[in-house]
């Protein structure tokens, strides 16, 4: 398998690009409004990238997906803090899931860590942007808190399904992206 200077094969780079496109669609086009936030399936491609390719490619999938999605489907001015959140989520997913046996506990830990980062950092970014005059970080954390237990359950179940499907497709994946069993 031919690798470029970065050490990643053409197949890995292509798969990462497809996951970026999927993150853009799932994060921006398929949204359900909830109290104080939007629910979307933005996390699933990042989990897949983390499990298959590791922390750096997963961080790139998260960051590029947010950056491109924010410019293709703007909901206000672009703010790089939200992109940083997605980069950190990718790092967490890659560190927890890559080259490790994908157990229920490991997937739930990756999702819980990702959602905790998103909850705290995105609440901080929203308070910095001043979307609600006179309200700060604690208001955003409090208003958004009831959604995260629901998101934890939904994203954990969906992420488990994604990782299980990737495990079943292990035989068609390039050797460098195969999941550990």
């Amino acid at each position: 398998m031919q690798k470029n200077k970065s050490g990643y094969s053409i197949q890995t780079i292509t798969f990462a690009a497809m996951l970026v496109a999927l993150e853009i669609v799932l994060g921006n086009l398929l949204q359900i409004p909830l109290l104080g936030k939007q629910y979307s399936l933005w996390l699933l491609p990042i989990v897949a990238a983390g499990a298959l390719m590791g922390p750096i490619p997963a961080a790139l999938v998260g960051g590029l997906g947010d950056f491109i999605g924010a410019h293709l489907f703007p909901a206000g001015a672009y703010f790089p803090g939200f992109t940083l959140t997605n980069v950190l989520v990718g790092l967490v997913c890659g560190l927890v899931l890559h080259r490790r046996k994908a157990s229920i506990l490991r997937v739930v830990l990756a999702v819980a860590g990702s959602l905790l980062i998103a909850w705290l950092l995105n609440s901080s970014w929203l308070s910095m942007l001043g979307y609600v005059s006179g309200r700060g970080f604690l208001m955003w954390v409090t208003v958004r808190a009831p959604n995260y237990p629901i998101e934890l359950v939904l994203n954990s179940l969906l992420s488990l399904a994604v990782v299980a499907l990737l495990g079943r497709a292990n035989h068609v994946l390039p050797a460098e992206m195969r999941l550990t069993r």
Side-chain angles (χ1 to χ4, degrees):
M1 188 167 318
Q2 186 177 10
K3 294 186 178 189
N4 63 13
K5 292 179 185 176
S6 69
Y8 295 105
S9 71
I10 300 300
Q11 290 94 337
T12 300
I13 293 169
T14 304
F15 199 76
M18 290 190 307
L19 288 174
V20 168
L22 190 59
E23 200 274 332
I24 292 167
V25 170
L26 294 178
N28 294 287
L29 295 179
L30 302 173
Q31 295 185 346
I32 300 166
L34 295 175
L35 181 64
K37 69 181 302 293
Q38 299 281 339
Y39 176 75
S40 68
L41 302 173
W42 64 278
L43 186 58
L44 299 180
I46 300 172
V47 166
L52 293 173
M53 297 177 277
I56 301 301
L60 288 171
V61 167
L64 287 172
D66 181 78
F67 181 80
I68 296 168
H71 286 84
L72 288 177
F73 308 101
Y78 171 73
F79 182 70
F82 297 112
T83 302
L84 175 63
T85 299
N86 276 20
V87 167
L88 293 174
V89 165
L91 287 173
V92 166
C93 289
L95 289 171
V96 173
L97 297 173
H98 188 59
R99 303 241 188 257
R100 291 176 170 76
K101 188 175 184 317
S103 66
I104 293 172
L105 178 62
R106 194 168 289 285
V107 172
V108 170
L109 283 174
V111 170
S114 298
L115 291 178
L116 182 64
I117 288 169
W119 177 37
L120 296 175
L121 283 181
N122 289 347
S123 295
S124 178
W125 308 139
L126 290 169
S127 69
M128 286 172 58
L129 291 170
Y131 279 124
V132 178
S133 179
R135 305 295 174 131
F137 174 74
L138 286 177
M139 187 278 306
W140 282 110
V141 168
T142 305
V143 166
R144 296 160 60 90
N147 298 316
Y148 282 96
I150 297 165
E151 275 196 68
L152 177 62
V153 171
L154 287 175
N155 280 318
S156 293
L157 291 173
L158 292 171
S159 295
L160 282 166
V162 165
V163 171
L165 288 171
L166 291 172
R168 295 183 90 192
N170 228 11
H171 63 285
V172 297
L173 295 171
E176 66 193 48
M177 288 196 305
R178 292 198 178 128
L179 298 177
T180 305
R181 293 190 173 238

